Amino acid sequence: MISIYDLAKLTGVSATTVSNVLNGRGRFSEKTRKLVLDAAAEHGYVTNLAARGLHSGISHTVGIITTDVSNEYFSSIVLEIERLMRLSGYTSFICNTLYDSRQLEEYIRELRRHNCDGIFIVGGSGPKDIASNSTLPHVFIDFASSARSENSVSIGTDLEKATYDQVDTLARHGCNRIMLLLLDALRAFRPEHPIYEGYRAGLEAHGLEFDPDLEIIGPHLKKSRVESRELVLGALDRGIEFDGIVATGDRQALGAVEALQERGLIPGKDVLVIGLDNSVYSQLSAPRISTVERNTDEMARLGAVAMLDLVAGREPDSRRIVVPYRVIERETTLGKADR
């Protein structure tokens, strides 16, 4: 690899001047600038970012850790963060934990060892103090626990209110036996969980009694669509009566729809179904699935802005950002209203 010292010999200027031109600092003439840059381009000079990082403390790299990169909801956030950070001059290392909290902690340690300037954590769950022992900037997006540190920002949807609105949508269409369908690989679901609280509050608002038999929670040992289909089929085989399903993801909702169809029931008429995320699964299924749009592009944009502020030592506009959502009704909730 050609070095700045080689460029200095080729151009007849000092190594300090070459360094100043390449880094855009100091004083030099336009003629010198063009001479150095032309020589660098001609001879294939590549900045040694690792060396620069050791000198400046800035590596221009970030880590992006997500629970499941195959999940369209998470992958859309990750890809948009990567794009926005690349436009700002950052290279991203993308890590996939597969819902393993131990792997999450290991990735964080590895990214710190690689001198990343900051870490995004997209989805999943972990201890509240996961970032407290580091001054490294952390941006949490749709992270289940309320992790905070002096150098972090949390971004996400108000899941309690979103779940409430899912229940409300079904109840307003006449459902009075509403199932909660949830996969919990992280074992994070507790009575105080926002989804649980939103579900219970939605039932209460419509005078509906909570029935623990309608709380269907799977361990997420299989693909979401497959496991959800099996859970709903199991509920039907046990004789559990329900006329609505609140699913905590569109792939889960699709599995529920397939289970209903397998048993000769009509989604949107016999049983209403609503998912979460407005993914391609909800848009292209037959029937199309009602869902909640959570605005992944805005989450990613706000996350990138927050990270750039934290890396630059600026105070972010907010340490906790709630991104608006909207309910989108399609065939799986509109059919019963017309009966």
Side-chain angles (χ1 to χ4, degrees), residues 100-168:
D100 187 336
S101 59
R102 292 171 299 181
Q103 189 62 59
L104 168 63
E105 295 175 358
E106 178 59 28
Y107 275 138
I108 290 174
R109 287 193 292 269
E110 283 295 319
L111 292 169
R112 289 173 181 172
R113 281 197 287 265
H114 281 79
N115 198 35
C116 283
D117 295 332
I119 299 175
F120 294 90
I121 300 180
V122 180
S125 178
K128 294 181 180 180
D129 62 350
I130 196 165
S132 63
N133 296 325
S134 173
T135 58
L136 191 69
H138 286 69
V139 173
F140 298 94
I141 299 180
D142 197 29
F143 193 66
S145 71
S146 55
R148 296 190 192 186
S149 74
E150 293 183 358
N151 214 22
S152 71
V153 170
S154 295
I155 300 168
T157 305
D158 185 339
L159 272 180
E160 180 177 344
K161 190 172 187 305
T163 308
Y164 175 97
D165 284 346
Q166 287 177 294
V167 175
D168 178 69

Side-chain angles (χ1 to χ4, degrees), residues 34-273:
K34 187 175 187 306
L35 180 68
V36 171
L37 293 181
D38 286 349
E42 180 182 350
H43 295 279
Y45 173 79
V46 178
T47 302
N48 189 330
L49 291 177
R52 179 187 290 183
L54 289 172
H55 177 72
S56 66
I58 299 175
S59 66
H60 290 282
T61 62
V62 293
I64 308 174
I65 306 174
T66 188
T67 57
D68 182 1
V69 77
S70 71
N71 185 311
E72 185 192 359
Y73 170 71
F74 295 131
S75 64
S76 61
I77 296 174
V78 169
L79 289 173
E80 184 64 6
I81 289 173
E82 189 278 333
R83 185 184 75 85
L84 293 171
M85 295 305 293
R86 175 164 38 86
L87 291 174
S88 297
Y90 284 80
T91 298
S92 298
F93 298 111
I94 299 174
C95 308
N96 188 45
T97 69
L98 292 177
Y99 298 96
D100 187 336
S101 59
R102 292 171 299 181
Q103 189 62 59
L104 168 63
E105 295 175 358
E106 178 59 28
Y107 275 138
I108 290 174
R109 287 193 292 269
E110 283 295 319
L111 292 169
R112 289 173 181 172
R113 281 197 287 265
H114 281 79
N115 198 35
C116 283
D117 295 332
I119 299 175
F120 294 90
I121 300 180
V122 180
S125 178
K128 294 181 180 180
D129 62 350
I130 196 165
S132 63
N133 296 325
S134 173
T135 58
L136 191 69
H138 286 69
V139 173
F140 298 94
I141 299 180
D142 197 29
F143 193 66
S145 71
S146 55
R148 296 190 192 186
S149 74
E150 293 183 358
N151 214 22
S152 71
V153 170
S154 295
I155 300 168
T157 305
D158 185 339
L159 272 180
E160 180 177 344
K161 190 172 187 305
T163 308
Y164 175 97
D165 284 346
Q166 287 177 294
V167 175
D168 178 69
T169 299
L170 300 186
R172 284 188 292 103
H173 284 310
C175 294
N176 52 43
R177 294 277 297 171
I178 299 174
M179 172 190 293
L180 176 65
L181 177 61
L182 180 143
L183 304 183
D184 185 22
L186 299 171
R187 308 295 187 269
F189 192 68
R190 300 288 185 274
E192 66 275 10
H193 192 285
I195 288 176
Y196 184 92
E197 292 186 344
Y199 174 65
R200 292 290 296 269
L203 295 177
E204 184 177 346
H206 286 275
L208 303 178
E209 184 177 348
F210 170 73
D211 183 346
D213 287 342
L214 293 176
E215 195 176 273
I216 307 297
I217 302 174
H220 209 335
L221 298 177
K222 302 178 181 179
K223 291 184 179 298
S224 300
R225 177 179 176 181
V226 173
E227 187 165 318
S228 298
R229 171 184 162 275
E230 292 176 354
L231 288 170
V232 173
L233 286 174
L236 290 169
D237 291 344
R238 293 195 302 275
I240 296 175
E241 296 182 1
F242 54 92
D243 54 10
I245 299 175
V246 165
T248 56
D250 286 338
R251 290 191 292 184
Q252 297 169 34
L254 179 57
V257 165
E258 291 174 341
L260 295 173
Q261 292 172 327
E262 189 171 329
R263 289 291 190 268
L265 298 170
I266 302 174
K269 183 177 181 181
D270 298 317
V271 179
L272 274 59
V273 181

